[in-house]
Amino acid sequence: HSAEYKTDHLKFGKIDFGRHPDVAQKYGINDSSFSRQLPTVILFQQGKEVDRRPCVDAKGKLQKFFFSSDNVRATFGLNQLYKQAVERLPVAPVTTESKKTK
């Protein structure tokens, strides 16, 4: 997705938690092969986390997420974020309601 959605106002990054376990710890990601937390995708807006997959439910249970291009696009609202970045519009916070309107 990073090449498809590349703009000056929309950035993508990838971190190897084997080399940077401090970053995994900072964001509460267990890098054990048994944790089912890898891969983890986190959306940040203005430096703050606004969404992540897989996520944890109210009972603390990790929710399964099928990582496909379509699921990632829809879940994180990449088309809308890209449009806002290209038009240099203020980025609206991602909400469940805004995702349903797509």
Side-chain angles (χ1 to χ4, degrees), residues 14-64:
K14 179 179 177 179
I15 298 173
D16 179 345
F17 291 134
R19 290 183 172 197
H20 303 283
D22 55 322
V23 178
Q25 184 178 12
K26 177 179 178 179
Y27 293 105
I29 299 169
N30 183 339
D31 65 349
S32 161
S33 59
F34 301 109
S35 75
R36 298 181 306 156
Q37 286 186 283
L38 297 178
T40 292
V41 176
I42 303 174
L43 174 65
F44 293 92
Q45 289 180 330
Q46 299 177 346
K48 295 183 178 134
E49 180 178 330
V50 295
D51 203 355
R52 86 166 46 202
R53 293 296 183 274
C55 58
V56 178
D57 67 14
K59 295 180 181 180
K61 184 177 178 185
L62 193 66
Q63 297 297 298
K64 291 180 184 179

Side-chain angles (χ1 to χ4, degrees), residues 53-79:
R53 293 296 183 274
C55 58
V56 178
D57 67 14
K59 295 180 181 180
K61 184 177 178 185
L62 193 66
Q63 297 297 298
K64 291 180 184 179
F65 184 76
F66 180 68
F67 283 93
S68 70
S69 292
D70 289 340
N71 281 353
V72 170
R73 268 188 197 96
T75 298
F76 294 101
L78 291 183
N79 291 334

Side-chain angles (χ1 to χ4, degrees), residues 5-11 85 88:
Y5 291 101
K6 184 180 177 189
T7 74
D8 289 340
H9 302 285
L10 188 59
K11 309 284 185 197
R88 295 184 180 181

